[in-house]
Amino acid sequence: MTTRLYLAPAAAGKTVAILAHARAAGRDLAAILRVVVPTHLQVRAARRRLANMGGAIGVRVLTFDRLYAEILNAAGEIYVELSEPVQYRLIRAIVDGLPLIHNAPLADRPGFIQVLQRLIGELKAARVHPDAFAAAVRALGNEPRLAELAQIYAAYQARLQAQGWADRAGLGWLAVETLEQRAADVGRDWSLLAVDGFDSFTPIQLALLRALAGRVGELIVTLTGELDDRRPGLAYRRFARTCAALEAALGVQAEPLPTVDAGTAGSTLAPRAPVLAHLTHHLFRPDVAAVDAGAAVALIEAAGREAEVRAALRWLKQRIVLDGCRPAEVALLARNVAPYRPFIQQIAAEFGLPIRLVDGLPLGCVLIWGRRKKD
């Protein structure tokens, strides 16, 4: 049983190394291999990379949510997972059944239930029990609005336990409790558990990794960073805190990522322009000498969102037409796509650019299709 925490700069081949290692371990057909990534988008990307490498047998790429479910199933723990709409209705029923006073003006508004969903998810991800939350509220002076939130959280959790239900955030809590208290053998037949692509971990995720570290044959976690950088800039403080938390939870010291021959692994790493490497290392650092950006970085000032999108898509179209890039090799990123979505759709159609919106489109209407049973 080995546990390793690997550090490497951004775009240094961490994912390629993990997938190559998993492929090599998959030569043992009896091996149980898991690679955990943050989102379903990254699940699809990792599976595509594995396919481009030539495929792999026995390698499952999944998120923490699916990992929680696998652990509970392996332990024989059966829970009914609530979908978000059902959770919404359950919280609504609890709020309607409580004699709220200070939050009463908000109780009838749909946004209030959505806020409660997020609050409950954050509390469970931090492994905060309803009693602990109520005690913390009392320690703050028992502010009435917070006290009512604690009351809602306690009633919600009591309803879940009474019915044998679990929400998505609660599955992680249950999986950790199962590993720590009831399922001594779960995970001991796993050959490899690799965790890649994260910049932070919730207390539940850290507890799960700590519980599995002594069971799986090999646990590998990758993280962005450099061992020789003892004073991380503002852009990398989150990674530094995450590294410290992982070292404490897993009882290991971070080490540099082993060198992997990307060509041998069946994948290639595009060389990074020196200017971008300079930007990555010195981002938000004071007193850094300026370098000539050349053609690697372009800064465009636009009058509004439509002008921003038009300039960005024009630049992407140039990369496709002039540089021979494929549409799948270019991307348009925004902190929040929603305000830009109509401009992206309109201008992309005008430029003849095929687009794929990762966050999807808003639901404009619902079509219910069914077959009427004949008498």
Side-chain angles (χ1 to χ4, degrees), residues 79-82 86 90 159-167 174:
Y79 293 93
V80 176
E81 182 181 353
L82 299 184
V86 175
L90 176 60
R159 181 73 64 86
L160 293 185
Q161 292 175 346
Q163 299 294 334
W165 296 339
D167 54 24
L174 293 170

Side-chain angles (χ1 to χ4, degrees), residues 106-122:
L106 302 173
D108 293 334
R109 302 190 178 188
F112 182 62
I113 305 301
Q114 293 173 346
V115 169
L116 289 175
Q117 282 182 301
R118 291 195 295 269
L119 173 64
I120 290 171
E122 291 174 2

Side-chain angles (χ1 to χ4, degrees), residues 75-96:
E77 302 276 347
I78 306 300
Y79 293 93
V80 176
E81 182 181 353
L82 299 184
S83 63
E84 288 190 10
V86 175
Q87 183 195 34
Y88 183 98
R89 291 195 291 270
L90 176 60
I91 297 175
R92 165 56 65 194
I94 290 172
V95 168
D96 291 342

